[in-house]
Amino acid sequence: MNRPKHLLVANVAWAHETAAGNPAFFRDLVRGQNPHILWIGCADSRVPAETITRCEPGDLFVHRNIANLFHPEDDNAASVLEYAVRVLKVGHVIVCGHYGCGGVRAALLPPDPALPHVNRRIAPLCALAKTHHAELDGAATGPDRINRLAELNVLEQVRQLRASPIVREADPAPLVHGWIFALDDGRIKVLTSGYTSDDAMTCTTAAHSAA
Ligand code: CO
């Protein structure tokens, strides 16, 4: 499944099979969307939101970028949040990072001069790594260090989202959850859930040793 023509062939098969299995499926899609969840995930090809959660079209409103970052001054991410909360009125916002994240790894390395856009995007992640350098330096291995920063990054994005006026001023405010996906077994671990900010930094789980 690595060429555009393969995707088109697969699409035809999927459309046929879906309509055969549920004749009302596409009619319902045309009527509009009513997702209850905004998913903010990494752009990594190995972490497709719908696939790993067995969701269907219409289930998730999705925003993905390198290292699942949210910043209120990033109009791309903020506009997705704004629309999801104020128009779609989602009840939940899930930030789902993943172990072995290349964007997180890059934040622990010197900037690559060939990637100026990436370098600017992950600058807050580099700052987060500096803030937690004592804990990160104590990690047993390089992958452990990356994976712990991936967890801290999810918690930081949750904190940013909970502090956002879009979330705080919503009534009812959506619950903001922090999850992380393990590439080595396909399982999601919950780092934080619920609206109160108190539990956002309680995750003290040792870094996962995923590759
Ligand atoms: Co990633």
Side-chain angles (χ1 to χ4, degrees):
M1 194 63 76
N2 54 5
R3 294 185 182 185
K5 70 178 180 182
H6 293 156
L7 303 188
L8 293 171
V9 170
N11 167 254
V12 170
W14 172 79
H16 277 301
E17 290 163 12
T18 300
N22 178 4
F25 187 87
F26 292 109
R27 185 197 65 203
D28 290 344
L29 283 192
V30 169
R31 286 179 174 161
Q33 62 170 333
N34 185 30
H36 300 296
I37 293 171
L38 165 61
W39 175 283
I40 298 176
C42 184
D44 193 303
S45 62
R46 299 167 296 179
V47 195
E50 288 86 353
T51 303
I52 65 173
T53 57
R54 282 203 169 152
C55 280
E56 295 291 331
D59 289 340
L60 301 177
F61 198 61
V62 174
H63 177 75
R64 291 171 64 184
N65 60 42
I66 287 178
N68 41 273
L69 296 169
F70 173 82
H71 193 280
E73 291 171 13
D74 168 14
D75 271 341
N76 190 354
S79 63
V80 171
L81 178 69
E82 185 177 77
Y83 191 81
V85 172
R86 294 184 177 167
V87 179
L88 299 174
K89 301 191 183 303
V90 298
H92 303 270
V93 178
I94 296 169
V95 179
C96 188
H98 67 102
Y99 295 118
C101 182
V104 172
R105 185 190 308 117
L108 292 166
L109 297 171
D112 183 338
L115 302 172
H117 296 281
V118 172
N119 294 336
R120 279 197 296 279
R121 281 287 304 176
I122 66 173
L125 196 41
C126 299
L128 185 70
K130 286 191 175 71
T131 300
H132 295 278
H133 73 90
E135 179 185 354
L136 295 170
D137 289 349
T141 67
D144 284 348
R145 199 161 167 244
I146 294 166
N147 292 338
R148 180 56 183 155
L149 183 56
E151 292 180 339
L152 293 167
N153 180 45
V154 168
L155 295 173
E156 173 61 15
Q157 306 319 306
V158 167
R159 191 185 68 79
Q160 294 270 359
L161 283 155
R162 287 176 178 165
S164 160
I166 298 168
V167 168
R168 285 172 46 218
E169 294 167 7
D171 186 19
L175 298 176
V176 183
H177 310 255
W179 293 0
I180 193 155
F181 175 78
L183 296 169
D184 61 356
D185 65 5
R187 298 289 296 269
I188 290 170
K189 183 165 76 179
V190 176
L191 300 178
T192 178
S193 61
Y195 180 64
T196 58
S197 57
D198 300 341
D199 68 342
M201 298 307 287
T202 57
C203 174
T204 55
T205 314
H208 196 282
S209 59

